[in-house]
Amino acid sequence: MEQLDLDRWHASYRKLEILLADRGTLTERAAKPRRPTRRGPAPVVPAQLPADVVTFTGRSHQIGELDELLSAGPAGGAAHARPSTVVISAIDGTAGVGKTALAVHWAHRVVDRFSDGQLYLNLRGFDPDGNAMNPHEAVGNLLDAFHVEPHRIPASLDAQAALYRSLLAGKRVLILLDNARDSDQVRQLLPGTPGCFVMVTSRNLLTGLVAANGAHSVTLDLLSYDEAHRFVTHRLGADRTIAEPEAVKAIITACARLPLALALATAHAATRPTLTLGMLAEALADRRHRLETLAGDAPSTDIEAVFSWSYHTLTASGARLFRHLGLHVGPDISASAATSLAGVSVSSVGPLLAELTLANLLVENAPGRYAFHDLLRVYAAKTAAAEESDEQRRRATRRMLDHLLHSAHTAALLVQPTRERLELAPFEPGVSPENPAGQVAAMAWFTSELPVLLAAVNQAATTGFDVHTWQLAWVLTDFLERRGHWRDWTTVAQAAVAAADRLGDPAVQSRSYRLLGYSYIRQGQFDEGLTQLQRALVLYQQLGDLTGQAYIHLAFTGIRERVGRYADGLHHARQALDLYQETAHVAGQGNALNSIGWCLAHLGRHEEALSYCRKALGLHQEMNNRYGQAQTWDSIGFIHHDAGHHPEAVACYLRAIEQYRELDRFEEADTLVRLGDTYDEMKNATAAQEAWEAALVILEDIGHPNAVPARAKLETLAR
């Protein structure tokens, strides 16, 4: 035992000698920093991205835009020399437009560019329970992703955010912040140093993040038709879509090209092999039950529930306007019309429209005009049916129809100051009709509102507003005629006749029959036109309405002229003149005098014809009736042409065309054809060709049968 202890002592002493023999003393070595003998845990590299959508299609433009943002760096610097913050927001469609799908898909494409990890956080900005994630919880989740020990996490939010930024400093991390409610929810989550790339998705337009933090906005609209078709094909297979192409088209239309709706529709078809695409299209065609057809088995895939999450974030006034917009039948609505629809003040509607736009429940598709896609329209209408009483919905509809009728009546009198005025009922309280400033503005107003006005005629006819139906049709007449909307003219005139017959008022019936007769005549359907005009004449005679009878005789003149019966036409024109003179209807007298001159010219009585037309021109000039002046200059031009006075004819035709250009496309084309005829007789082939080509462009654009003889003139000239 003693020998063993001695051996241990010698061994320890020998180790001490070796240590002392070293050049560095123990003290010197203690002064140097020690390396830990035990290595700590490896740095955490989070990989939190959700799974990619295997069937993702489309969005090539937005993907390219994101690629460019990632690659772009400051001048002379590396691509990662500064942080980039991207806000992906839906311009149209909001919920269900595919913001998250795009963000996740693109993130997987570039995941190898971010070696220090990928963070994902659902901020729950629009969850149905309204429990959006607060910044404190959000920062805590991000710190957890890096496995920060609890004792290292400070108590205050600012300190936690500072720690989070410190962890990101110098790293390449991709951060996807999904479903943000607003800019404030996001700001504390942005890195403070270059190197990271942040994507934020939101149903709201995060303008504050763009303005204050330099975020770039990547906008998402509905899929294009081709993208939607590829979407359906990828989900269902080419064989199935090729077999039923029309059904595929109908499904895409019913789903409004909204990705979530298309995903739900194709899921129905994919999980039901016996369900043909035609059967699915038929189910989706029923707008009343379309949302139910597109319901999924979870709130996040139930399109109505998804829409509701955005709706329930609105203020009470914003929600009310959204519901009322669901009662509007047009493809879009002006700010002024929205004021009347909701029955609110002009000053308050702007902020409400801005609220809906920022929530992406509405899009300003043109300055001052707003729209949402068809599925949101269906949802808004359904919400209105559930939350507004029958009386509230009817009053809103009445306000909208009043707005359109009174605005259109004002515009119609600017388009044609000599036309008949209607005795309109007072508009409802809360209605603010529009007042275009002049004829040009009135034509522009009709152009913008035409789809709305046509839809309103149908809405009025199907909801019991018969007076609005025929009056809206009546005030639309001049614009539809002058812009060549022949089929629309006939459609609204037929609605007017049906409404007039329901009302049983002979004065209304006579006007409506006359309106329909005019539309038939314009399209060359003379037998149908004559039938309607004769029905109107009988009622005018029973009512003792001399002016109404004069209108009919002048229309009879037009029919006779168009079939070459100028002597008969002259007879009716003279009857019309006598009646107009008896009632002191000056504008009517001008029109009748011009028609008499036109018929006389075709009968070869040029001097007499010129006398009548000059009298007509004087009356129209006294009344500043530009349309009447244009018609009369055209007649005088023809008189000179037929008499062989070609330079005088050209001068008159050019004056007519100048005025028609702003007033009536068909009449402009008609006069251009006659101008070409005069140039042709003058042996000026180039001028004739130019006039006929200009006429043909207009006639083909408005779909008028006179395009055929105009094209034949050009072909003859070419030969």
Side-chain angles (χ1 to χ4, degrees):
M1 290 291 292
E2 291 178 358
Q3 183 62 41
L4 180 61
D5 291 340
L6 184 61
D7 290 341
R8 287 177 178 172
W9 184 87
H10 279 297
S12 299
Y13 183 78
R14 181 59 183 161
K15 290 179 180 178
L16 180 60
E17 284 184 322
I18 293 172
L19 289 171
L20 292 174
D22 198 338
R23 293 291 182 185
T25 65
L26 289 173
T27 304
E28 290 173 334
R29 290 178 181 262
K32 294 181 179 181
R34 289 189 172 186
R35 294 183 179 181
T37 58
R38 181 180 175 186
R39 181 170 296 180
V44 175
V45 180
Q48 297 184 331
L49 290 179
D52 193 7
V53 181
V54 179
T55 56
F56 186 90
T57 56
R59 304 303 192 194
S60 57
H61 174 75
Q62 288 81 5
I63 288 173
E65 192 173 351
L66 289 168
D67 287 342
E68 185 177 347
L69 284 170
L70 181 60
S71 301
H80 58 276
R82 62 171 172 81
S84 299
T85 303
V86 178
V87 181
I88 302 179
S89 59
I91 267 186
D92 192 8
T94 65
V97 83
K99 301 177 295 295
T100 299
L102 169 64
V104 170
H105 177 72
W106 181 81
H108 278 283
R109 291 177 74 251
V110 299
V111 70
D112 60 331
R113 304 277 294 273
F114 297 93
S115 56
D116 295 313
Q118 309 89 44
L119 298 173
Y120 172 83
L121 198 60
N122 180 4
L123 297 176
R124 305 194 306 268
F126 296 88
D127 271 15
D129 58 8
N131 187 26
M133 185 180 291
N134 60 55
H136 201 288
E137 180 186 357
V139 173
N141 283 335
L142 293 172
L143 292 175
D144 286 345
F146 287 106
H147 293 188
V148 178
E149 297 174 352
H151 69 273
R152 292 182 55 206
I153 300 177
S156 72
L157 174 61
D158 288 343
Q160 289 181 9
L163 176 60
Y164 163 69
R165 291 192 294 271
S166 297
L167 289 171
L168 292 178
K171 292 182 178 178
R172 292 285 289 165
V173 178
L174 177 64
I175 304 162
L176 174 49
L177 304 175
D178 195 18
N179 202 21
R181 179 69 169 269
D182 52 36
S183 299
D184 289 339
Q185 193 185 20
V186 171
R187 277 200 185 89
Q188 292 277 25
L189 312 181
L190 301 180
T193 55
C196 297
F197 193 93
V198 182
M199 286 190 292
V200 185
T201 75
S202 178
R203 296 184 192 178
N204 288 338
L205 297 173
L206 302 184
T207 52
L209 207 61
V210 174
N213 298 87
H216 181 90
S217 180
V218 177
T219 58
L220 283 186
D221 204 339
L222 302 174
L223 296 173
S224 68
Y225 178 82
D226 288 341
E227 287 176 326
H229 197 282
R230 288 197 296 272
F231 185 108
V232 174
T233 301
H234 284 186
R235 295 293 180 103
L236 299 179
D239 291 344
R240 199 167 177 185
T241 54
I242 291 173
E244 297 184 80
E246 292 304 314
V248 171
K249 186 184 299 184
I251 291 169
I252 291 172
T253 300
C255 291
R257 295 179 281 116
L258 186 71
L260 176 59
L262 288 168
L264 291 169
T266 52
H268 275 285
T271 56
R272 297 169 176 80
T274 59
L275 179 70
T276 68
L277 298 187
M279 293 164 61
L280 176 59
E282 185 176 352
L284 290 171
D286 185 352
R287 294 182 56 160
R288 295 170 300 172
H289 303 293
R290 187 177 299 170
L291 297 180
E292 289 86 342
T293 303
L294 293 172
D297 58 358
S300 61
T301 57
D302 184 325
I303 200 159
E304 185 172 352
V306 171
F307 287 162
S308 72
W309 301 342
S310 291
Y311 169 71
H312 289 303
T313 66
L314 299 173
T315 63
S317 297
R320 179 175 178 272
L321 177 58
F322 177 77
R323 294 193 299 272
H324 283 164
L325 290 173
L327 304 174
H328 179 62
V329 293
D332 61 2
I333 189 170
S334 68
S336 177
T339 301
S340 297
L341 175 65
V344 298
S345 65
V346 175
S347 60
S348 64
V349 77
L352 296 179
L353 289 169
E355 179 185 356
L356 296 179
T357 303
L358 288 172
N360 272 315
L361 288 172
L362 204 62
V363 60
E364 190 174 9
N365 59 358
R369 300 198 69 84
Y370 299 83
F372 42 34
H373 65 67
D374 193 50
L375 288 176
L376 266 175
R377 184 188 305 280
V378 171
Y379 173 71
K382 185 173 182 178
T383 307
E387 300 184 27
E388 302 275 339
S389 68
D390 290 345
E391 178 61 24
Q392 287 173 323
R393 295 198 305 275
R394 186 168 181 81
R395 289 183 64 185
T397 300
R398 170 66 185 264
R399 286 195 301 270
M400 188 72 248
L401 294 174
D402 277 356
H403 174 92
L404 293 171
L405 176 58
H406 283 265
S407 301
H409 187 250
T410 299
L413 293 175
L414 290 170
V415 170
Q416 179 53 283
T418 62
R419 73 163 298 143
E420 298 165 88
R421 295 172 180 266
L422 297 178
E423 294 296 329
L424 303 181
F427 49 76
E428 286 282 296
V431 175
S432 303
E434 296 175 68
N435 295 286
Q439 188 176 69
V440 174
M443 291 294 285
W445 184 87
F446 272 120
T447 300
S448 298
E449 296 291 349
L450 181 59
V452 177
L453 290 163
L454 295 175
V457 172
N458 182 65
Q459 182 186 31
T462 56
T463 54
F465 291 97
D466 286 329
V467 173
H468 287 79
T469 301
W470 79 262
Q471 290 183 341
L472 278 169
W474 186 258
V475 296
L476 271 168
T477 302
D478 283 329
F479 178 80
L480 294 175
E481 179 181 20
R482 295 182 185 188
R483 285 292 182 262
H485 297 289
W486 315 112
R487 295 182 182 86
D488 292 334
W489 185 3
T490 300
T491 298
V492 300
Q494 288 170 338
V497 166
D501 287 343
R502 286 192 295 269
L503 291 169
D505 184 337
V508 175
Q509 289 173 301
S510 58
R511 279 185 168 182
S512 300
Y513 298 156
R514 184 174 121 216
L515 178 64
L516 183 56
Y518 284 167
S519 75
Y520 284 139
I521 292 171
R522 267 299 200 184
Q523 298 176 82
Q525 298 172 258
F526 300 128
D527 290 340
E528 295 88 342
L530 189 60
T531 298
Q532 297 299 325
L533 293 174
Q534 286 172 334
R535 294 177 69 190
L537 181 59
V538 170
L539 289 175
Y540 280 132
Q541 289 170 339
Q542 291 174 355
L543 293 166
D545 187 339
L546 301 183
T547 301
Q549 295 174 47
Y551 282 126
I552 299 301
H553 281 291
L554 203 57
F556 285 162
T557 300
I559 294 176
R560 269 57 176 192
E561 290 172 359
R562 284 169 172 79
V563 295
R565 294 169 56 183
Y566 293 102
D568 290 342
L570 179 61
H571 170 71
H572 285 291
R574 291 191 187 280
Q575 284 187 274
L577 179 60
D578 291 341
L579 290 165
Y580 280 133
Q581 287 175 336
E582 191 171 347
T583 58
H585 195 292
V586 180
Q589 293 174 43
N591 292 332
L593 288 166
N594 181 53
S595 291
I596 291 171
W598 179 259
C599 291
L600 287 170
H602 282 83
L603 294 171
R605 297 156 62 177
H606 300 127
E607 288 300 322
E608 194 178 355
L610 196 57
S611 174
Y612 276 98
C613 286
R614 284 174 175 162
K615 291 178 184 177
L617 185 61
L619 290 178
H620 290 314
Q621 288 173 337
E622 287 177 15
M623 300 187 67
N624 195 29
N625 182 359
R626 296 178 62 221
Y627 193 78
Q629 292 176 54
Q631 287 182 312
T632 309
W633 279 120
D634 176 73
S635 297
I636 295 174
F638 177 77
I639 294 169
H640 283 302
H641 167 90
D642 206 47
H645 307 150
H646 296 137
E648 292 85 349
V650 169
C652 293
Y653 283 146
L654 290 175
R655 295 190 71 166
I657 290 167
E658 181 183 2
Q659 300 211 30
Y660 275 141
R661 189 157 290 141
E662 297 178 1
L663 302 173
D664 192 319
R665 300 188 71 204
F666 170 73
E667 294 292 358
E668 178 189 355
D670 212 28
T671 304
L672 280 165
V673 170
R674 283 192 280 276
L675 175 64
D677 293 343
T678 302
Y679 280 133
D680 189 43
E681 290 196 10
M682 296 170 72
K683 307 303 181 185
N684 189 339
T686 301
Q689 179 180 348
E690 290 175 353
W692 288 335
E693 286 178 345
L696 183 60
V697 168
I698 296 172
L699 293 168
E700 288 183 333
D701 188 46
I702 64 177
H704 197 276
N706 283 5
V708 175
R711 190 180 300 107
K713 289 176 182 290
L714 284 167
E715 292 171 353
T716 301
L717 184 66
R719 288 194 295 269

